[in-house]
Amino acid sequence: MNIPEEHGGIGSDFKSAAILQEELGYAGASGVMFALHSDIIAPYISKYGTDEQRKRFLVPMTAGTCISAIGMSEPGAGSDLQGLETHAEKDGDDFIVNGSKTWISNGQLADAVVVVAKTKKDSRAAHGLSLIIVERGMPGFERGKNLEKIGLKAQDTSTLFFNDVRVPACNLLGGENNAFYLMMQELPQERLSVAIGGMAACEAMFEWTREYLQQRKAFGGPLSKMQLIRHRMAKLKTDIAAGRAFTDCCLDRHNVGELDVATAAMAKAWVSELQNRVAYECVQLHGGMGYMYDCKIGRAYVDARIQPIYAGTNEIMMDLVSRTIF
């Protein structure tokens, strides 16, 4: 939605994209991963791609005919970029990519994967990385099975394998050895997206639980009449209101280009932890019904668990914040 019209988007601001994320959250549609494609991957190509790359990838991406993914995590490296082993070596006008990526969202369906790979030997890994677009059908590019997750069942997640994949140099995105810099520019929006979706999930879970407590009867009346339950719901409402205020503040700052890395990290960490607390409380208030996977709150509970993990673990988020303190 916030991709320029000349690149196939509608040219709106990030707030418009945030509204879509929120509506999906209110509907409990946590597994579709539209934001990954549109608000996390597409901006890399829109901002740092060549005109040819925008025409070849971004236009079909905005039309929905090309699904994208980004390959960062590896079997032996997640948040630690210096542990990445996937590498790409120049061979004439091509790069030869070798390695593997795991837990890749959209991995099964992706037509184009932005792969983070080492392109500079004998350097600190974070400063010798490049973004290379690997396309479906390139010889040596293979996918493992769809991974069985505890949540986000609607979203495909896979391990990707690169065995001497020959990728033309025109698929290098944003220049050689620039990946770390580019990711540092784009990760705040990714982490804000996690917070936006998480806040919508919190508000949805609260409303589902409020409605259930008004209908469920025990001890001669609805559960909503019991003081203990009313106080627990009041605590949840207070925490959610605080989270909403902080998230909206971050959204306003991001929309004018003023959201910094540390504040985005705080939003991602705070809201994802809040989302898990709200999910836990709401399952408890649903009783046995909440433990059923065909109950919305049960699905929301397992879906919430990934939020403190992806887009950088919350432990990494706190490390980023701590750097602004000392």
Side-chain angles (χ1 to χ4, degrees):
M1 296 182 73
N2 56 327
I3 298 300
E5 291 184 62
E6 60 267 27
H7 300 159
I10 63 174
S12 61
D13 60 14
F14 186 72
K15 281 188 177 181
S16 300
I19 291 170
L20 176 58
Q21 290 184 49
E22 289 175 346
E23 291 301 322
L24 289 169
Y26 297 147
S30 58
V32 292
M33 286 289 169
F34 292 156
L36 170 68
H37 173 86
S38 301
D39 304 324
I40 295 173
I41 301 168
Y44 279 100
I45 301 175
S46 178
K47 295 178 182 179
Y48 312 117
T50 63
D51 289 339
E52 188 271 340
Q53 288 173 339
R54 294 186 188 112
K55 182 178 180 180
R56 188 152 54 97
F57 296 111
L58 197 58
V59 172
M61 282 173 63
T62 55
T65 57
C66 174
I67 297 174
S68 62
I70 188 163
M72 292 189 188
S73 295
E74 297 184 359
S79 299
D80 179 16
L81 292 176
Q82 296 193 44
L84 295 181
E85 295 184 356
T86 297
H87 59 277
E89 296 184 6
K90 285 293 289 289
D91 183 35
D93 293 331
D94 301 328
F95 285 95
I96 307 300
V97 181
N98 282 282
S100 62
K101 300 291 181 178
T102 195
W103 308 307
I104 304 305
S105 300
N106 289 352
Q108 287 287 307
L109 299 177
D111 301 295
V113 182
V114 178
V115 176
V116 183
K118 286 183 181 179
T119 48
K120 187 176 183 180
K121 295 181 179 180
D122 302 323
S123 68
R124 288 178 24 176
H127 299 283
L129 301 173
S130 298
L131 302 178
I132 298 175
I133 304 174
V134 178
E135 301 175 62
R136 176 187 293 277
M138 286 182 167
F141 173 32
E142 300 177 356
R143 309 160 200 257
K145 66 180 182 179
N146 191 25
L147 299 175
E148 184 68 22
K149 308 184 298 297
I150 64 172
L152 300 184
K153 298 293 187 179
Q155 181 267 320
D156 57 298
T157 305
S158 304
T159 299
L160 308 180
F161 302 96
F162 310 97
N163 300 301
D164 291 328
V165 181
R166 183 172 291 273
V167 183
C170 62
N171 281 24
L172 177 67
L173 179 61
E176 196 168 345
N177 302 320
N178 285 337
F180 183 75
Y181 169 76
L182 301 181
M183 288 188 290
M184 291 305 100
Q185 299 299 308
E186 297 305 312
L187 282 172
Q189 178 163 303
E190 178 176 354
R191 289 160 181 164
L192 177 59
S193 293
V194 173
I196 290 167
M199 276 313 309
C202 288
E203 291 161 345
M205 288 187 288
F206 181 87
E207 285 302 314
W208 299 338
T209 304
R210 185 180 65 83
E211 292 171 3
Y212 179 79
L213 294 173
Q214 290 176 315
Q215 298 168 3
R216 180 73 166 89
K217 290 182 171 57
F219 305 104
L223 291 177
S224 59
K225 296 296 184 182
M226 300 181 68
Q227 185 183 59
L228 175 63
I229 287 176
R230 293 169 69 90
H231 286 185
R232 290 176 74 170
M233 287 293 285
K235 178 63 166 63
L236 287 179
K237 184 174 182 178
T238 303
D239 290 346
I240 292 169
R244 167 54 68 189
F246 182 38
T247 302
D248 285 351
C249 176
C250 291
L251 179 56
D252 286 340
R253 290 179 63 179
H254 182 62
N255 218 41
V256 294
E258 295 179 357
L259 182 64
D260 59 88
V261 170
T263 305
M266 287 190 283
K268 188 269 183 184
W270 169 258
V271 175
S272 62
E273 291 176 3
L274 172 65
Q275 183 179 351
N276 276 269
R277 292 200 306 272
V278 171
Y280 182 93
E281 285 290 327
C282 290
V283 166
Q284 186 69 21
L285 291 169
H286 274 75
M289 179 60 71
Y291 196 63
M292 299 296 104
Y293 195 76
D294 59 358
C295 177
K296 289 189 293 186
I297 197 66
R299 295 193 298 274
Y301 178 78
V302 291
D303 287 348
R305 191 59 191 88
I306 190 61
Q307 295 282 88
I309 298 173
Y310 62 11
T313 65
N314 282 5
E315 289 75 15
I316 295 296
M317 298 303 99
M318 292 300 95
D319 188 59
L320 292 173
V321 175
S322 71
R323 296 174 191 177
T324 67
I325 300 173
F326 300 104

PDB file of all heavy atoms in Angstrom, residues 64-82:
ATOM      1  N   GLY A  64       0.481  -9.025  -6.989  1.00  0.00           N
ATOM      2  CA  GLY A  64       0.153 -10.295  -6.350  1.00  0.00           C
ATOM      3  C   GLY A  64       0.521 -11.512  -7.172  1.00  0.00           C
ATOM      4  O   GLY A  64       0.168 -12.639  -6.804  1.00  0.00           O
ATOM      5  N   THR A  65       1.260 -11.330  -8.260  1.00  0.00           N
ATOM      6  CA  THR A  65       1.640 -12.471  -9.097  1.00  0.00           C
ATOM      7  C   THR A  65       3.032 -12.993  -8.764  1.00  0.00           C
ATOM      8  O   THR A  65       3.455 -14.022  -9.293  1.00  0.00           O
ATOM      9  CB  THR A  65       1.588 -12.086 -10.588  1.00  0.00           C
ATOM     10  OG1 THR A  65       2.445 -10.965 -10.822  1.00  0.00           O
ATOM     11  CG2 THR A  65       0.164 -11.720 -10.998  1.00  0.00           C
ATOM     12  N   CYS A  66       3.767 -12.291  -7.910  1.00  0.00           N
ATOM     13  CA  CYS A  66       5.083 -12.734  -7.444  1.00  0.00           C
ATOM     14  C   CYS A  66       5.095 -12.641  -5.923  1.00  0.00           C
ATOM     15  O   CYS A  66       4.932 -11.554  -5.359  1.00  0.00           O
ATOM     16  CB  CYS A  66       6.188 -11.855  -8.044  1.00  0.00           C
ATOM     17  SG  CYS A  66       7.850 -12.197  -7.399  1.00  0.00           S
ATOM     18  N   ILE A  67       5.256 -13.776  -5.264  1.00  0.00           N
ATOM     19  CA  ILE A  67       5.310 -13.816  -3.800  1.00  0.00           C
ATOM     20  C   ILE A  67       6.775 -13.774  -3.367  1.00  0.00           C
ATOM     21  O   ILE A  67       7.631 -14.427  -3.970  1.00  0.00           O
ATOM     22  CB  ILE A  67       4.622 -15.075  -3.264  1.00  0.00           C
ATOM     23  CG1 ILE A  67       3.135 -15.045  -3.629  1.00  0.00           C
ATOM     24  CG2 ILE A  67       4.792 -15.192  -1.748  1.00  0.00           C
ATOM     25  CD1 ILE A  67       2.386 -16.301  -3.264  1.00  0.00           C
ATOM     26  N   SER A  68       7.050 -13.020  -2.329  1.00  0.00           N
ATOM     27  CA  SER A  68       8.432 -12.817  -1.906  1.00  0.00           C
ATOM     28  C   SER A  68       8.689 -13.382  -0.513  1.00  0.00           C
ATOM     29  O   SER A  68       7.774 -13.612   0.271  1.00  0.00           O
ATOM     30  CB  SER A  68       8.770 -11.324  -1.915  1.00  0.00           C
ATOM     31  OG  SER A  68       7.947 -10.628  -1.000  1.00  0.00           O
ATOM     32  N   ALA A  69       9.960 -13.595  -0.238  1.00  0.00           N
ATOM     33  CA  ALA A  69      10.422 -14.007   1.092  1.00  0.00           C
ATOM     34  C   ALA A  69      11.793 -13.385   1.305  1.00  0.00           C
ATOM     35  O   ALA A  69      12.430 -12.917   0.360  1.00  0.00           O
ATOM     36  CB  ALA A  69      10.502 -15.529   1.193  1.00  0.00           C
ATOM     37  N   ILE A  70      12.235 -13.376   2.565  1.00  0.00           N
ATOM     38  CA  ILE A  70      13.584 -12.891   2.864  1.00  0.00           C
ATOM     39  C   ILE A  70      14.304 -13.955   3.673  1.00  0.00           C
ATOM     40  O   ILE A  70      13.750 -14.505   4.633  1.00  0.00           O
ATOM     41  CB  ILE A  70      13.549 -11.531   3.598  1.00  0.00           C
ATOM     42  CG1 ILE A  70      14.958 -10.963   3.722  1.00  0.00           C
ATOM     43  CG2 ILE A  70      12.841 -11.619   4.941  1.00  0.00           C
ATOM     44  CD1 ILE A  70      15.003  -9.481   4.055  1.00  0.00           C
ATOM     45  N   GLY A  71      15.514 -14.280   3.254  1.00  0.00           N
ATOM     46  CA  GLY A  71      16.276 -15.344   3.896  1.00  0.00           C
ATOM     47  C   GLY A  71      17.394 -14.813   4.762  1.00  0.00           C
ATOM     48  O   GLY A  71      18.465 -14.462   4.248  1.00  0.00           O
ATOM     49  N   MET A  72      17.139 -14.731   6.071  1.00  0.00           N
ATOM     50  CA  MET A  72      18.172 -14.298   7.016  1.00  0.00           C
ATOM     51  C   MET A  72      18.624 -15.461   7.894  1.00  0.00           C
ATOM     52  O   MET A  72      19.793 -15.813   7.920  1.00  0.00           O
ATOM     53  CB  MET A  72      17.664 -13.150   7.886  1.00  0.00           C
ATOM     54  CG  MET A  72      17.432 -11.842   7.158  1.00  0.00           C
ATOM     55  SD  MET A  72      17.088 -10.504   8.337  1.00  0.00           S
ATOM     56  CE  MET A  72      16.623  -9.181   7.219  1.00  0.00           C
ATOM     57  N   SER A  73      17.684 -16.058   8.639  1.00  0.00           N
ATOM     58  CA  SER A  73      18.034 -17.079   9.630  1.00  0.00           C
ATOM     59  C   SER A  73      18.604 -18.337   8.978  1.00  0.00           C
ATOM     60  O   SER A  73      18.202 -18.742   7.888  1.00  0.00           O
ATOM     61  CB  SER A  73      16.797 -17.465  10.453  1.00  0.00           C
ATOM     62  OG  SER A  73      16.342 -16.382  11.217  1.00  0.00           O
ATOM     63  N   GLU A  74      19.552 -18.950   9.672  1.00  0.00           N
ATOM     64  CA  GLU A  74      20.176 -20.188   9.223  1.00  0.00           C
ATOM     65  C   GLU A  74      20.135 -21.213  10.349  1.00  0.00           C
ATOM     66  O   GLU A  74      19.881 -20.859  11.508  1.00  0.00           O
ATOM     67  CB  GLU A  74      21.622 -19.924   8.801  1.00  0.00           C
ATOM     68  CG  GLU A  74      21.743 -18.969   7.625  1.00  0.00           C
ATOM     69  CD  GLU A  74      23.185 -18.793   7.158  1.00  0.00           C
ATOM     70  OE1 GLU A  74      24.090 -19.408   7.769  1.00  0.00           O
ATOM     71  OE2 GLU A  74      23.396 -18.058   6.177  1.00  0.00           O
ATOM     72  N   PRO A  75      20.394 -22.485  10.046  1.00  0.00           N
ATOM     73  CA  PRO A  75      20.386 -23.503  11.110  1.00  0.00           C
ATOM     74  C   PRO A  75      21.304 -23.170  12.280  1.00  0.00           C
ATOM     75  O   PRO A  75      21.002 -23.512  13.421  1.00  0.00           O
ATOM     76  CB  PRO A  75      20.850 -24.768  10.370  1.00  0.00           C
ATOM     77  CG  PRO A  75      20.394 -24.556   8.958  1.00  0.00           C
ATOM     78  CD  PRO A  75      20.570 -23.086   8.715  1.00  0.00           C
ATOM     79  N   GLY A  76      22.431 -22.466  12.003  1.00  0.00           N
ATOM     80  CA  GLY A  76      23.369 -22.144  13.069  1.00  0.00           C
ATOM     81  C   GLY A  76      23.464 -20.674  13.398  1.00  0.00           C
ATOM     82  O   GLY A  76      24.360 -20.260  14.137  1.00  0.00           O
ATOM     83  N   ALA A  77      22.549 -19.871  12.853  1.00  0.00           N
ATOM     84  CA  ALA A  77      22.622 -18.428  13.091  1.00  0.00           C
ATOM     85  C   ALA A  77      21.246 -17.809  12.919  1.00  0.00           C
ATOM     86  O   ALA A  77      20.619 -17.971  11.878  1.00  0.00           O
ATOM     87  CB  ALA A  77      23.611 -17.777  12.132  1.00  0.00           C
ATOM     88  N   GLY A  78      20.800 -17.110  13.969  1.00  0.00           N
ATOM     89  CA  GLY A  78      19.526 -16.415  13.889  1.00  0.00           C
ATOM     90  C   GLY A  78      19.743 -14.919  13.981  1.00  0.00           C
ATOM     91  O   GLY A  78      20.014 -14.245  12.995  1.00  0.00           O
ATOM     92  N   SER A  79      19.663 -14.396  15.198  1.00  0.00           N
ATOM     93  CA  SER A  79      19.849 -12.963  15.391  1.00  0.00           C
ATOM     94  C   SER A  79      21.302 -12.531  15.217  1.00  0.00           C
ATOM     95  O   SER A  79      21.571 -11.348  15.004  1.00  0.00           O
ATOM     96  CB  SER A  79      19.372 -12.568  16.798  1.00  0.00           C
ATOM     97  OG  SER A  79      17.995 -12.859  16.965  1.00  0.00           O
ATOM     98  N   ASP A  80      22.248 -13.469  15.314  1.00  0.00           N
ATOM     99  CA  ASP A  80      23.678 -13.149  15.216  1.00  0.00           C
ATOM    100  C   ASP A  80      24.110 -13.191  13.755  1.00  0.00           C
ATOM    101  O   ASP A  80      24.430 -14.248  13.202  1.00  0.00           O
ATOM    102  CB  ASP A  80      24.484 -14.151  16.030  1.00  0.00           C
ATOM    103  CG  ASP A  80      25.983 -13.893  15.956  1.00  0.00           C
ATOM    104  OD1 ASP A  80      26.365 -12.781  15.532  1.00  0.00           O
ATOM    105  OD2 ASP A  80      26.752 -14.800  16.317  1.00  0.00           O
ATOM    106  N   LEU A  81      24.161 -12.031  13.115  1.00  0.00           N
ATOM    107  CA  LEU A  81      24.521 -11.975  11.700  1.00  0.00           C
ATOM    108  C   LEU A  81      25.953 -12.442  11.449  1.00  0.00           C
ATOM    109  O   LEU A  81      26.272 -12.927  10.363  1.00  0.00           O
ATOM    110  CB  LEU A  81      24.334 -10.552  11.169  1.00  0.00           C
ATOM    111  CG  LEU A  81      22.900 -10.039  11.069  1.00  0.00           C
ATOM    112  CD1 LEU A  81      22.895  -8.587  10.618  1.00  0.00           C
ATOM    113  CD2 LEU A  81      22.084 -10.896  10.113  1.00  0.00           C
ATOM    114  N   GLN A  82      26.829 -12.322  12.445  1.00  0.00           N
ATOM    115  CA  GLN A  82      28.210 -12.722  12.245  1.00  0.00           C
ATOM    116  C   GLN A  82      28.352 -14.236  12.133  1.00  0.00           C
ATOM    117  O   GLN A  82      29.391 -14.737  11.709  1.00  0.00           O
ATOM    118  CB  GLN A  82      29.080 -12.198  13.384  1.00  0.00           C
ATOM    119  CG  GLN A  82      29.133 -10.666  13.426  1.00  0.00           C
ATOM    120  CD  GLN A  82      30.214 -10.131  14.336  1.00  0.00           C
ATOM    121  OE1 GLN A  82      31.337 -10.621  14.317  1.00  0.00           O
ATOM    122  NE2 GLN A  82      29.894  -9.129  15.119  1.00  0.00           N
TER     123      GLN A  82
END
